[in-house]
């Protein structure tokens, strides 16, 4: 660490999550330390440390003894313009060497995984190092012990919530890949009505057009501090909040950001991510919904069984009771895809409107029944009846509103600025919808960054369609995104297959 | 692509090789297109296209209808301040989807690999996408067909040199991991004296303290344009130039940069990188030296045999005759590590000085003999005698000087600004030296970025050492790097094992 300090300049540059430091090409500290553009450097200020990537700038950028910091660098180092910082080479990040071991086929030990997760939670890895770690461990490249090690390490480096007075705490997760499969808010409303404690924390979308947190955020406040979450749960038995705001699993948040940028996944990362967050949230029991289908995330029954087995095994090793439910993943659920459109479907189901999507209703009831059965050991049939009564009687809708009020109030749903209705070109039975491409289409339209963007299906698989009938409506907030999504649709006519033809 | 243009501002920021574009947070184009910080965007100007990462900046950074470009962005798009550019979303880079296929255990087809390499050569992949591709294919994760496919794709997307009037063109490569193993310049001098055509292009260091190009650059100009290279070869039969300057294999240059940042390698990438460059350079025959040892790159005889087999097989499939030589990789070669120190050793061998490192001399003669045998089919014994005569008679030294003159003149070697002599703490036989850690030590001292940085061994494995004898001298150009290297040495006393003790 160089003994001369430099003065911080706010560059006014948003480099997203990767901190960048800017030094003048004639900076004497730069020369003394032997830095060059793309060096990894370490900054110290007031007891805080930050590792960042160096960019080198022209002399005219700021005065001689200054150093520029990007927005995230200022935030992480907790400094503003004018502060004094010290700068030196970034220390060698030793856990990186164990990645080589993994590349050459050796399983990582608990200690090695712990060191990697520790470094990642402390922001010592650059984005390409995180990308490398994730890619090395992607697919099925982590064995069961490694997945257990990864889960435990992520729990160790995050928070641990507790719910005093509650011996059993329930949770739910859907593996995803099924557009519109927005069951969590319905399940939480139903089972908390029955007296179960279900403090549901959810993520924003990773690679999909909406996450539960994105969808709930269109209806109420989801970004609650821990004390408020605890208040909501003690008042209502449940909550529907964003987990990222309470930093349950900081390593997971870092990994998810890069997974999102790379559109990358892997069973080890999935299991560790899901279970570490459930354990961190203080849950004792969890239902994992695994939809299976040609264009869902999990493609075959065999893959689903394998994943279910791993989830249960890792859950046992880490102290959480896991029950996996394998469901149909062959077609989108509901009609809306994207935060606002999915919220619309949820409200329709809760209020038992006749036009509410029946498939979404049935899935929510099934999952709720499994949770009730886990809690009461009453058998699935009795549990399903109980869940149905709660929904049909209006108690679930009342409970949902109570939870939303406790979180800050129920909001009205907005409508997107632009929309366009796409019609069928052929007549016939709608035979298949490509879930993955449909999700991509909704994302290109702007979901979830624009909550009201996405699409609404007017038909689903199995329906008979006449040429000229509306297939779906696309919603977007900018002409650029609308056109971008449409050009993708035009190039991907196989999203909908009608009467044996691509659309 | 948005139809409104923006005016380029040179941000004066060096973002190394990853182009960055800066837009104001209130920029109307930014809003219309739906961009946010870290979006991938595409710029168009005068027929050129560039994909870059977006950073968002404060309004005060530049005028309203402007867009900032980092140095590499300006270079790649071939624009300067004031130019008009158009900006839109980066097109979906479809070859990225095949990476998922590879993650899930499916081999990549020639066509898929071709598409990936095409996109990488055209700079469409972000650094994290390249990191992901490399990590997915690292270790032994590419099968033989994929390695052949990768080699062919890299040849296809690079240059192809030819040497009219030369039916046989010779080349050489050492797999590396052995500090100080700088044989190429010696081999080129010896065999071109014997009339072989050996237009040797070399790289700069990837993960080592010096590459052949770094070492040669301390003695002469290595950055020659193609026409000059052809002149040097027609005048002397050989050359010792930097391959990166003539862009033989653009995809390889991109991959190497990220491999370097991640300290990552893999047999598939190694073979494809080496052979694609040899083929691009127009070589018909190549010797590949594979040093084997506990702390070399290749650890066991079995690994070496496997690698040698793959090299030969892939070479055959791609039209180049490859002969692999497995050599001893248990200890550093010569005494110098780092560009200038290795150049010193080379000059000592060429001039047949008594203090010249004999191990370096012998390796150079052996490799030269193999090349002479490939060319003349005369048998190894005869070839070795021929090579020895050429060296001892001074013809190799005369030839080396002739080549250096043709390339621009022979330079005097500099000395580093700072040095420190480390002495032995124990007495006894020097039993082992950890090659990998020794190389890292030289790098921390500043090699190869500072050509005169590195170290010079005063003893090698097998020698008897008294406590207090000099072990090595460390060279650095800044106090920061000297201290940084020393603190690594202090924490890694097992680099040298003397009389059964760590140093």
């Amino acid at each position: 660490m160089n003994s001369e300090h430099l003065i911080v300049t706010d560059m006014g540059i948003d480099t997203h999550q990767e901190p960048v430091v800017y030094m003048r090409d004639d900076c004497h500290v730069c020369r003394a330390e032997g830095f060059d553009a793309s060096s990894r450097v370490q900054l110290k200020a007031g007891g805080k440390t930050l590792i960042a990537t160096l960019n080198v700038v022209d002399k005219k950028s700021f005065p001689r003894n200054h150093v520029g910091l990007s927005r995230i660098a200022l935030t992480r180092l907790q400094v503003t313009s004018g502060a004094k910082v010290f700068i030196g080479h970034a220390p060698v990040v030793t856990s990186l060497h164990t990645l080589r071991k993994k590349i050459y086929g050796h399983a990582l030990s608990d200690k090695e995984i712990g060191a990697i997760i520790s470094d990642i939670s402390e922001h010592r890895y650059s984005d390409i190092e995180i990308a490398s770690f994730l890619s090395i461990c992607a697919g099925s490249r982590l064995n069961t012990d490694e997945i257990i090690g990864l889960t435990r390490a992520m729990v160790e480096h995050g928070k641990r919530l507790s719910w005093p007075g509650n011996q059993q705490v329930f949770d739910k997760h859907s593996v995803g890949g099924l557009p519109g499969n927005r069951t969590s808010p319905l399940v939480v409303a139903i089972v908390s009505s029955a007296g179960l404690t279900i403090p549901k924390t959810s993520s924003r979308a990773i690679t999909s057009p909406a996450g539960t947190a994105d969808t709930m955020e269109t209806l109420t406040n989801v970004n609650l501090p821990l004390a408020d979450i605890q208040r909501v749960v003690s008042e209502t038995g449940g909550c529907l909040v964003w987990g990222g705001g309470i930093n349950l699993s900081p390593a997971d948040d870092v990994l998810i950001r890069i997974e999102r940028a790379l559109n990358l996944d892997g069973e080890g990362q999935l299991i560790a991510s899901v279970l570490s967050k459930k354990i961190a949230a203080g849950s004792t029991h969890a239902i994992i919904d695994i939809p299976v289908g040609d264009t869902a995330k999990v493609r075959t029954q065999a893959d689903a069984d394998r994943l279910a087995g791993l989830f249960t095994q890792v859950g046992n090793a880490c102290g959480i009771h896991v029950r996996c439910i394998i469901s149909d993943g062959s077609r989108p659920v509901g009609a809306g895809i994207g935060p606002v459109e999915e919220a619309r479907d949820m409200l329709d189901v809760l209020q038992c409107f006749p036009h509410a999507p029946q498939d979404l209703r049935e899935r929510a009831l099934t999952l709720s029944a499994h949770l009730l059965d886990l809690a009461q050991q009453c058998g699935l049939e009795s549990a399903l009846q109980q869940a149905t009564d709660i929904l049909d009687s209006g108690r679930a809708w009342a409970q949902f509103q109570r939870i939303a009020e406790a979180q800050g109030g129920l909001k009205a749903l907005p409508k997107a600025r632009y929309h366009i209705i796409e019609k069928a070109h052929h007549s016939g039975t709608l035979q298949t919808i490509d879930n993955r491409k449909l999700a991509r289409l909704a994302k290109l339209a702007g979901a979830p960054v624009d909550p009201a963007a996405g699409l609404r299906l007017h038909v689903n698989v199995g329906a008979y369609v006449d040429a000229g009938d509306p297939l779906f409506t696309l919603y977007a907030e900018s002409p650029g995104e609308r056109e971008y999504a449409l050009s993708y649709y035009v190039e991907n006519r196989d999203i909908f297959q009608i009467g044996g033809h691509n659309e």
Side-chain angles (χ1 to χ4, degrees), chain A:
Chain A
M1 188 60 49
N2 194 280
S3 55
E4 295 194 49
H5 70 262
L6 294 167
I7 312 285
V8 168
T9 292
D10 179 348
M11 294 295 282
I13 296 179
D14 179 350
T15 56
H16 202 53
Q17 292 288 317
E18 180 140 70
V20 179
V21 159
Y22 304 83
M23 291 182 87
R24 282 170 51 145
D25 49 23
D26 63 343
C27 174
H28 60 288
V29 170
C30 206
R31 295 277 172 83
E33 291 296 311
F35 294 147
D36 52 45
S38 90
S39 286
R40 294 283 282 166
V41 295
Q42 186 179 65
L43 284 84
K44 287 196 184 189
K48 287 229 155 276
T49 305
L50 170 76
I51 294 183
T53 301
L54 184 68
N55 281 178
V56 175
V57 299
D58 268 359
K59 303 176 205 359
K60 23 181 181 51
S61 303
F62 40 73
R64 188 167 269 281
N65 60 339
H66 282 57
V67 62
L69 265 63
S70 71
R71 193 152 301 152
I72 187 70
L74 294 162
T75 304
R76 292 232 178 106
L77 198 56
Q78 294 179 7
V79 293
T80 51
S81 275
K84 288 183 190 160
V85 292
F86 296 87
I87 188 165
H89 288 271
V92 173
V93 183
T94 29
S95 70
L96 283 167
H97 304 316
T98 56
L99 291 186
R100 292 181 56 87
K101 206 184 139 185
K102 179 68 185 162
I103 288 170
Y104 285 97
H106 299 109
L108 294 173
S109 69
D110 282 358
K111 193 168 171 216
E112 288 165 338
I113 294 172
I116 291 170
I117 293 304
S118 173
D119 283 333
I120 288 177
S121 335
E122 299 289 321
H123 301 294
R124 295 191 196 106
Y125 274 38
S126 65
D127 280 3
I128 61 170
E129 287 160 349
I130 298 164
S132 184
F133 168 66
L134 286 170
S135 303
I136 288 164
C137 299
S140 335
R141 289 167 173 182
L142 290 177
N143 67 30
T144 309
D145 287 330
E146 289 174 309
I147 300 173
I148 292 169
L150 183 60
T151 306
R152 286 196 181 129
M154 285 167 69
V155 169
E156 222 178 280
H157 289 92
K159 280 200 175 58
R160 199 70 179 262
L161 305 185
S162 59
W163 307 96
N166 287 286
Q167 289 222 308
Q168 292 190 327
V169 179
F170 294 88
D171 213 325
K172 177 223 161 263
H173 180 80
S174 176
V175 159
L178 210 55
N181 192 23
R182 198 57 54 207
T183 50
S184 290
L186 303 171
V187 170
V188 168
I190 292 168
V191 310
S192 61
S193 296
L196 272 59
T197 301
I198 179 160
K200 184 88 185 68
T201 57
S202 302
S203 350
R204 298 191 180 285
I206 301 173
T207 51
S208 68
T212 297
D214 300 305
T215 303
M216 279 307 301
E217 194 170 47
T218 66
L219 292 166
T220 187
N221 182 21
V222 297
N223 193 359
L224 270 61
L226 190 50
D228 282 338
I229 295 173
Q230 282 166 331
R231 174 188 50 77
V232 172
V233 173
S234 74
E235 283 172 15
T236 69
C239 71
L240 284 152
V241 296
W242 174 47
I246 48 172
N247 215 25
L248 276 179
S249 190
D252 190 51
D253 295 335
V254 174
L255 294 175
I256 279 176
R257 176 173 64 84
I258 303 295
E259 279 168 26
R260 186 185 286 140
L262 290 174
N263 214 19
L264 191 74
D265 48 39
E267 60 186 21
Q269 285 138 236
L270 172 66
I271 291 168
S273 174
V274 171
L275 293 185
S276 69
K277 286 200 292 254
K278 301 303 169 212
I279 295 165
S283 302
T284 57
H285 294 70
I287 297 281
I288 313 282
D289 170 36
I290 303 176
V292 179
D294 285 348
T295 54
K297 268 218 169 123
V298 180
R299 299 295 171 94
T300 67
Q301 185 66 39
D303 288 341
D305 289 336
R306 176 191 161 79
L307 190 62
L310 278 171
F311 257 120
T312 310
Q313 208 179 337
V314 176
N316 275 342
C318 296
I320 179 170
H321 183 118
V322 174
R323 180 188 291 190
C324 294
I325 292 127
I326 293 169
S327 62
D328 173 24
S330 62
R331 69 194 69 181
V333 178
I337 296 165
V340 161
E341 293 305 312
E342 290 176 27
R344 271 191 227 291
D345 284 352
M346 273 165 36
L347 296 182
D348 289 350
V349 168
L350 281 167
Q351 294 170 91
C352 299
F353 289 152
H355 63 267
Q358 292 306 295
D359 53 355
L360 180 61
R361 171 190 155 95
E362 278 154 25
R363 283 172 184 267
L365 288 172
T366 302
L367 294 171
S368 303
H370 276 283
L371 280 168
L372 293 169
D373 179 42
L374 268 182
Q376 300 162 1
Q377 321 270 309
C378 54
L380 214 48
E381 211 182 298
S382 160
L384 185 60
Q385 189 58 56
Q386 193 184 352
T388 307
D389 290 344
I390 290 169
L391 181 58
D392 287 345
S393 66
R395 270 180 288 153
W397 173 224
Q399 175 69 353
F400 182 85
Q401 291 172 87
R402 193 176 302 126
I403 293 171
E405 284 303 326
Q407 289 186 196
L410 189 60
K411 302 194 269 195
L413 291 175
K415 205 121 185 133
R417 203 167 301 148
Y418 300 92
H419 72 276
I420 186 160
I421 300 173
E422 282 298 309
K423 299 184 175 152
H425 290 104
H426 301 97
S427 300
T429 304
L430 173 52
Q431 288 161 331
T432 62
I433 296 178
D434 186 322
N435 284 316
R436 303 187 82 232
K437 290 189 171 186
L438 193 72
R440 204 178 300 157
L441 181 60
K443 287 185 72 182
L444 292 171
V449 177
D450 299 320
L455 55 94
R456 173 157 292 275
L457 288 171
H458 299 299
V459 286
N460 209 331
V461 169
Y464 184 85
V465 175
D466 277 313
D469 283 353
L471 271 181
F472 66 93
T473 301
L474 190 84
Y475 297 100
E477 297 287 13
S478 72
E481 284 163 313
R482 181 186 59 194
E483 292 322 306
Y484 197 41
L486 278 176
S487 62
Y488 177 78
Y489 176 63
V490 158
E491 286 160 24
N492 286 274
R493 290 284 185 200
D494 59 341
I495 295 182
F496 297 92
Q497 295 235 348
I498 294 177
H501 302 274
N502 287 346
E503 257 301 285

